[in-house]
Amino acid sequence: MMRRNCLAAFAAVCFLGLPSFAQMSITGAGATFPYPMYSKWFDEYHKIHPDIQINYQSIGSGGGIRQVTEGTVDFGATDGPMTDEQLKAFREKRGGDVLHFPTVLGAVVPIYNVPGIATDLNFTPEALAGIFLGKVTKWNDPAIAKANPKIKLPGNDILVVHRSEGSGTTYVWVDFLSKVSPDWKSQVGTNTSVNWPVGIGGKGNEGVSGQVKQTANSIGYVELIYASHNKMAYGRVRNSSGNFVKAELASVTAAAAGVTMPDDFRVSITNPAGKNAYPISSFTWLLVPEQMQDSGKREAMKGFLKWMLGPGQKLTEALEYAPLPKAVVGQEEKAIAKLH
Amino acid sequence: MKTLTRRRKIVNAVMLSLTGVCTFVIVGILFVILGYLFWNGARYLNLDFFTKLPTPVGENGGGMANAIVGSGKLLLLATLIGVPIGFLGGVYLAEFGRGVFPSLVRYTTDLLNGVPSIVIGIFAYTMVVQRMHHFSALAGGLALGVMMIPIALRTTEEFLRSVPQSLREGAMALGASKSRTIATVVVPAAIQGILSGMMLDLARVAGETAPLLFTSFSNRFWSPGWNQPIAALPVMIYTYAIAPYEDWHRQAWAAGFVLLSLVLIVNIAARIILARSSAHHRR
Amino acid sequence: MSAAPSAVASFDIRAFARRVRAGDQIAYLLTLICAASIFLVTCLLVYELWISSGLARHKFGWSFIITQTWDPVKEDFGALPFMFGTVVTSIVALLISVPVGIGAAIFLSEMALPRISDTLTFLIELLAAVPSVIYGLLGIFLLVPVLESGIVPALKGVLGFLPLFSGPFYGVSLFSAGVVLSLMIVPFIISVSREVLLSVPVEQREAALSLGSTRWETTWKVVVPYARRGIYGSIFLALARALGETMAVTMVIGNTPKLQSSLLAPGDSIASVIANQFTEATSDLYIHALIELGLVLFALTIIINGLARLLILTTGARIEK
């Protein structure tokens, strides 16, 4: 009796442990910015190709860069393109190069939770820089009030919420702030992880939106979809033409219009020219090593990238990400051939 | 004289009742915590939770079927690593252990027990994940297994030591070798205690999250084999709790309910076994 | 067993063969290997921690412990904010849990009837079995709102003049983490203290009572001092546990690597920052700095645990865990 039970248990262990040879499992990690889009894509792709499982974990762009460099994941994802030093480190550690593949366009919006204010607030770049530098400390500070003449702002202290870990969303945000505020540029700078002058940390876009949602008088920055999914108020930001623009498909697409995409696809589109452009927009990239040892995984990745550039692009608008400009799609399709 | 006595009597009454208050506050908090968790968890528990995979971000529904199985797999591996090593090590210390080396083993076991779980996670990362170049259930199971060893060892040693020497001497007088004595006489005498200790050990490790964060990572799908990242209940609770989606919060409560129920059931069962075994010995 | 001493080496081949056949030698070797492997694993752990923090140790040296900055951009790392957060939250946890815990232990050992005492202790020990992440879950959704709506405003009303309780409170903070930790460690204090108090010889109590002390005076002035070392031991044990707690703390502490003067401000602890930033440490120096933090934490817990064991054992009380 005991023996039979042991045998049965042993068989169960083997079954649980037996790798399913029909399954191709690919692991990726990185940006939380496009996570809603990626999780939808990978889910849809799995329905079309049930033998391919792409497991993506949103741990932040810093994590995506790190883990793909270490080789612990098959691909990474980031909204802050890898720097030259990081590319060099990848080359040294792994031998080949890593390629950036833009996937969608998104926007980083300032979300806030001010009791009594349900309308959209206008933020000037100076106001945003001042708030995140800790120089603008109250909601009724003139820097904010001037842009919102018709709204009565309370005199409460502002609580800043930023990312606690390495983040591409942070990169996009501080990239914008560095462009519009010399103070920010010299004091803090641009990176996926910075030494924040003020504020508390939330983990992931999810953590920041969660924190702002639960905390009165707070302000944070998240990707657009996180604000709308959670029905949170987000403000308009003044662009380089002087217009206060709200982040949406049209304004994000306008931000990418007219930008020349370099060969390696690394480009920043914050604070662009354009009347209707939303100033804090960004591409987001998949980081795929040029040389993938496993031919099965390589072909699966290529297949996914092709699908992503075709039918995948049609799914972006439902999640409020803007699709890639056609020129970029064409450039990318040629680049997929580089994977070997 | 009379007022002094009266004052002392008042102090006596006040302080003693305060200690009672302390006790009941703590027990009360326990009930509030558990009650809140169970009420919220039970509300959001449904069949989908146990049978479905997670849905894409922002879409309601789905469940944690893969995390439940994942936790099971990780704990299985942890038990396969931790229990035999801990048990046999405990046998060594109890039956053969006198001198410098056994004391050294005891000391390092206590040391290992005190290591924060996040540091064990770092260890498993450098030893397994970095070398294998991917996250895996193997790494996670190893981290949990290493955490299980110290308590498995000490439990085994203690309960083996508590077996009266007369039992051993009797067996040896009948001609049994030392290993035979241990296997057929000493261990069975202590088995209930050892078993309860192992169960408590397992329950403790079942709730660990930190060592899994960068070893087994997580997975939105089923995880075949041992070489893939794998989802686990505690990690899902953490991920879902800090996110802003209401649906994820509900699932976090449900997962907390399931996890805590399992942990408490194992705990209570272990203690019942222990109580019955010591009652048996007292007779 | 022969009476004549042998001039040759005393290794008795026949006895050895007997032992091998009986399985004794195998049993001995097998168990020895397992015991040795534990020793080896621990040594390996320390070795790996040491090696994998090499870059940071060489760059910063001892100043790592006193540097305040944690700047991944400029690659300047210092452990001070995290040590501060770890120590402060643990102290807050102790300040809350020690009086309450010892009070409860006194009640359970001196006052309550044995069956009630056993049942209540059993229930309290169940608190120790609750996983950390569940305390974190309850911390975010139950404790922090309770602190925000009732307790902290009251605290600020009474003690707000102190810099310790100044500034705005946003829920996540050093104080919240301390409160959650206190819940997590109080069962250890109660369990161990109760055991040491129960082990105090009954003659001590009888002697005090016969001299005319009240129950309280007996307890407080005779029994507790007798068990003093064991109680200190339980406090150190609880402290060691609090220092290493990761999940519950990281969910309510605010993740801000700065030194703060107010308990109501957000902070960070060593375990919490490792959990948050480990997978994202983009440069080698960054990850080595995090592992060095792990080493610091490891050293802290070894010292505290060692003291705890010393104190508990010298009281002569038997502890199960």
Side-chain angles (χ1 to χ4, degrees):
Chain A
M1 178 65 178
M2 255 303 249
R3 271 210 124 160
R4 238 188 315 135
N5 285 346
C6 286
L7 237 56
F10 185 66
V13 170
C14 289
F15 174 69
L16 282 175
L18 212 65
S20 182
F21 288 108
Q23 268 310 355
M24 162 76 56
S25 229
I26 302 181
T27 306
T32 59
F33 178 98
Y35 186 36
M37 188 73 253
Y38 290 176
S39 71
K40 180 84 186 153
W41 271 347
F42 297 135
D43 195 62
E44 288 296 314
Y45 198 70
H46 182 63
K47 290 195 192 128
I48 304 172
H49 298 268
D51 54 323
I52 300 182
Q53 223 171 255
I54 307 182
N55 170 34
Y56 180 80
Q57 294 298 322
S58 74
I59 58 175
S61 301
I65 296 176
R66 174 76 187 173
Q67 298 307 323
V68 79
T69 310
E70 287 286 322
T72 44
V73 296
D74 299 309
F75 67 91
T78 176
D79 343 294
M82 284 173 78
T83 60
D84 291 329
E85 290 93 53
Q86 288 166 338
L87 287 173
K88 194 163 140 237
F90 185 93
R91 233 171 274 131
E92 281 167 10
K93 259 211 169 95
R94 306 260 269 133
D97 269 328
V98 63
L99 301 175
H100 288 69
F101 286 97
T103 51
V104 284
L105 282 161
V108 182
V109 299
I111 46 169
Y112 49 88
N113 176 354
V114 185
I117 308 266
T119 48
D120 295 338
L121 289 177
N122 291 334
F123 291 103
T124 59
E126 294 77 29
L128 287 176
I131 294 174
F132 280 83
L133 277 171
K135 300 213 170 96
V136 173
T137 53
K138 291 199 190 289
W139 278 106
N140 59 0
D141 189 291
I144 311 175
K146 254 195 310 167
N148 300 282
K150 297 204 190 86
I151 303 179
K152 181 138 193 339
L153 293 160
N156 302 331
D157 288 325
I158 305 180
L159 173 73
V160 170
V161 183
H162 54 73
R163 293 285 287 273
S164 62
E165 82 290 20
S167 148
T169 315
T170 297
Y171 182 90
V172 177
W173 186 255
V174 301
D175 184 49
F176 171 73
L177 289 180
S178 289
K179 283 187 183 165
V180 301
S181 162
D183 277 341
W184 181 272
K185 192 166 176 165
S186 54
Q187 257 187 275
V188 187
T190 303
N191 200 311
T192 51
S193 191
V194 298
N195 196 3
W196 296 96
V198 288
I200 65 177
K203 191 159 171 62
N205 266 299
E206 305 90 332
V208 171
S209 29
Q211 191 64 55
V212 171
K213 205 170 187 191
Q214 309 231 94
T215 316
N217 300 307
S218 58
I219 185 172
Y221 57 90
V222 293
E223 211 286 324
L224 175 59
I225 191 67
Y226 289 88
S228 29
H229 260 171
N230 296 292
K231 307 206 180 23
M232 299 179 72
Y234 58 99
R236 283 186 274 253
V237 182
R238 198 182 62 200
N239 65 11
S240 57
S241 308
N243 299 327
F244 286 98
V245 181
K246 192 150 179 179
E248 57 194 357
L249 286 173
S251 54
V252 171
T253 314
V259 79
T260 349
M261 183 62 89
D263 281 334
D264 64 355
F265 296 107
R266 295 188 295 157
V267 71
S268 156
I269 57 172
T270 50
N271 209 29
K275 298 202 269 120
N276 299 316
Y278 180 70
I280 322 183
S281 312
S282 175
F283 284 100
T284 182
W285 295 264
L286 285 176
L287 300 168
V288 186
E290 201 177 357
Q291 298 167 353
M292 285 181 101
Q293 244 78 3
D294 186 324
S295 63
K297 284 191 182 172
R298 193 191 330 126
E299 292 314 308
M301 253 342 268
K302 282 168 118 169
F304 172 75
L305 286 170
K306 292 205 184 89
W307 178 87
M308 182 270 292
L309 290 171
Q313 292 292 310
K314 300 201 177 63
L315 298 171
T316 65
E317 298 195 10
L319 287 169
E320 300 185 48
Y321 293 94
L324 297 169
K326 294 228 171 16
V328 175
V329 171
Q331 239 180 303
E332 260 189 84
E333 278 169 344
K334 294 203 199 97
I336 296 180
K338 281 204 213 151
L339 294 173
H340 60 274
Chain B
M1 188 63 186
K2 230 181 176 177
T3 39
L4 205 61
T5 320
R6 254 193 84 202
R7 200 186 69 119
R8 285 168 58 204
K9 279 197 176 155
I10 294 176
V11 167
N12 184 54
V14 166
M15 294 310 287
L16 289 177
S17 26
L18 267 182
T19 61
V21 166
C22 289
T23 315
F24 287 103
V25 160
I26 293 176
V27 176
I29 291 181
L30 171 73
F31 278 106
V32 164
I33 291 177
L34 295 186
Y36 193 78
L37 179 73
F38 284 125
W39 181 66
N40 260 327
R43 262 203 303 171
Y44 301 129
L45 211 57
N46 52 33
L47 196 61
D48 277 357
F49 180 82
F50 290 101
T51 52
K52 291 229 168 84
L53 289 176
T55 50
V57 171
E59 289 179 21
N60 286 357
M64 292 200 193
N66 60 340
I68 296 176
V69 171
S71 274
K73 276 177 82 168
L74 286 170
L75 290 173
L76 183 68
L77 185 60
T79 311
L80 288 175
I81 296 176
V83 168
I85 297 182
F87 176 73
L88 290 172
V91 168
Y92 173 78
L93 287 181
E95 301 298 316
F96 303 105
R98 244 161 292 275
V100 176
F101 183 65
S103 310
L104 203 61
V105 171
R106 255 183 226 109
Y107 177 70
T108 49
T109 306
D110 283 346
L111 206 74
L112 193 60
N113 195 31
V115 174
S117 56
I118 191 97
V119 175
I120 305 248
I122 297 179
F123 177 60
Y125 179 79
T126 55
M127 292 293 312
V128 184
V129 177
Q130 268 191 327
R131 299 222 161 94
M132 282 179 76
H133 288 293
H134 51 251
F135 298 105
S136 60
L138 187 69
L142 189 79
L144 294 181
V146 166
M147 289 186 71
M148 280 190 82
I149 293 177
I151 296 192
L153 184 144
R154 278 158 76 209
T155 303
T156 310
E157 188 194 351
E158 268 205 38
F159 281 102
L160 286 180
R161 272 192 197 281
S162 74
V163 172
Q165 197 63 10
S166 52
L167 275 173
R168 291 188 187 81
E169 289 170 355
M172 291 182 119
L174 289 170
S177 67
K178 184 142 194 195
S179 55
R180 199 109 193 267
T181 315
I182 299 174
T184 57
V185 176
V186 184
V187 167
I191 194 72
Q192 279 176 311
I194 296 177
L195 190 67
S196 80
M198 300 296 185
M199 287 169 74
L200 288 174
D201 202 9
L202 186 70
R204 170 182 162 233
V205 145
E208 287 292 339
T209 321
L212 297 179
L213 292 175
F214 25 89
T215 48
S216 58
F217 212 36
S218 191
N219 203 326
R220 314 273 311 159
F221 298 99
W222 295 109
S223 171
W226 299 97
N227 269 334
Q228 308 287 345
I230 193 170
L233 266 184
V235 176
M236 296 296 266
I237 295 177
Y238 173 59
T239 313
Y240 279 26
I242 57 176
Y245 306 106
E246 287 298 338
D247 191 56
W248 277 17
H249 291 173
R250 290 194 281 268
Q251 291 193 36
W253 285 116
F257 179 96
V258 171
L259 182 64
L260 191 59
S261 312
L262 289 173
V263 166
L264 287 182
I265 289 175
V266 172
N267 252 285
I268 295 175
R271 283 166 200 275
I272 292 179
I273 294 179
L274 190 63
R276 274 216 240 117
S277 89
S278 52
H280 182 262
H281 281 167
R282 257 185 253 129
R283 264 191 276 120
Chain C
M1 240 103 60
S2 64
S6 179
V8 204
S10 53
F11 186 61
D12 188 344
I13 291 263
R14 268 198 293 211
F16 178 69
R18 231 181 295 129
R19 282 206 315 275
V20 172
R21 254 184 281 123
D24 273 358
Q25 197 63 22
I26 300 173
Y28 178 69
L29 278 175
L30 191 65
T31 54
L32 177 66
I33 290 173
C34 286
S37 70
I38 298 170
F39 178 69
L40 288 171
V41 162
T42 314
C43 291
L44 193 63
L45 183 104
V46 179
Y47 173 75
E48 282 282 342
L49 279 180
W50 187 257
I51 295 276
S52 304
S53 59
L55 284 177
R57 276 183 298 108
H58 286 133
K59 181 160 182 202
F60 303 116
W62 285 106
S63 68
F64 186 68
I65 301 187
I66 49 176
T67 310
Q68 278 200 40
T69 13
W70 185 262
D71 191 339
V73 182
K74 305 196 182 94
E75 298 230 308
D76 189 11
F77 299 108
L80 198 58
F82 308 107
M83 290 174 67
F84 177 76
T86 306
V87 167
V88 163
T89 50
S90 303
I91 290 180
V92 170
L94 284 180
L95 285 175
I96 299 176
S97 60
V98 166
V100 179
I102 295 184
I106 291 175
F107 179 79
L108 290 169
S109 64
E110 306 293 310
M111 299 291 305
L113 303 165
R115 281 201 73 180
I116 299 184
S117 173
D118 284 339
T119 317
L120 287 178
T121 310
F122 174 72
L123 289 177
I124 291 174
E125 283 174 356
L126 280 185
L127 263 181
V130 175
S132 180
V133 72
I134 299 213
Y135 275 113
L137 183 66
L138 288 160
I140 296 181
F141 294 115
L142 181 61
L143 183 80
V144 162
V146 163
L147 284 179
E148 268 188 297
S149 52
I151 301 189
V152 169
L155 212 59
K156 284 192 84 168
V158 173
L159 295 169
F161 60 92
L162 289 171
L164 219 55
F165 289 104
S166 60
F169 179 67
Y170 295 106
V172 291
S173 64
L174 292 164
F175 183 65
S176 315
V179 172
V180 174
L181 274 180
S182 71
L183 275 177
M184 297 175 78
I185 64 177
V186 83
F188 293 95
I189 297 182
I190 295 180
S191 177
V192 176
S193 299
R194 173 177 170 268
E195 290 249 3
V196 300
L197 286 171
L198 282 174
S199 78
V200 171
V202 73
E203 294 85 19
Q204 299 282 329
R205 293 185 185 82
E206 289 175 351
L209 286 171
S210 65
L211 288 172
S213 324
T214 59
R215 285 296 289 279
W216 172 251
E217 285 165 355
T218 315
T219 311
W220 192 244
K221 298 200 173 135
V222 177
V223 180
V224 168
Y226 191 94
R228 180 180 51 222
R229 280 169 126 186
I231 295 180
Y232 290 157
S234 77
I235 295 177
F236 276 101
L237 211 66
L239 177 62
R241 169 92 203 248
L243 292 174
E245 260 314 319
T246 317
M247 300 317 293
V249 171
T250 196
M251 287 159 99
V252 297
I253 198 171
N255 302 315
T256 309
K258 286 198 166 58
L259 291 177
Q260 308 282 9
S261 58
S262 167
L263 284 179
L264 301 180
D268 215 348
S269 79
I270 296 179
S272 163
V273 73
I274 298 177
N276 266 320
Q277 300 191 1
F278 196 79
T279 46
E280 297 120 24
T282 35
S283 67
D284 279 342
L285 182 64
Y286 194 169
I287 228 187
H288 280 226
L290 284 170
I291 296 184
E292 194 181 347
L293 274 179
L295 202 60
V296 169
L297 183 63
F298 183 53
L300 268 174
T301 43
I302 292 181
I303 296 172
I304 306 277
N305 261 317
L307 284 171
R309 301 214 71 73
L310 212 62
L311 286 168
I312 295 179
L313 288 173
T314 52
T315 318
R318 280 213 82 199
I319 39 168
E320 267 99 70
K321 291 198 231 331

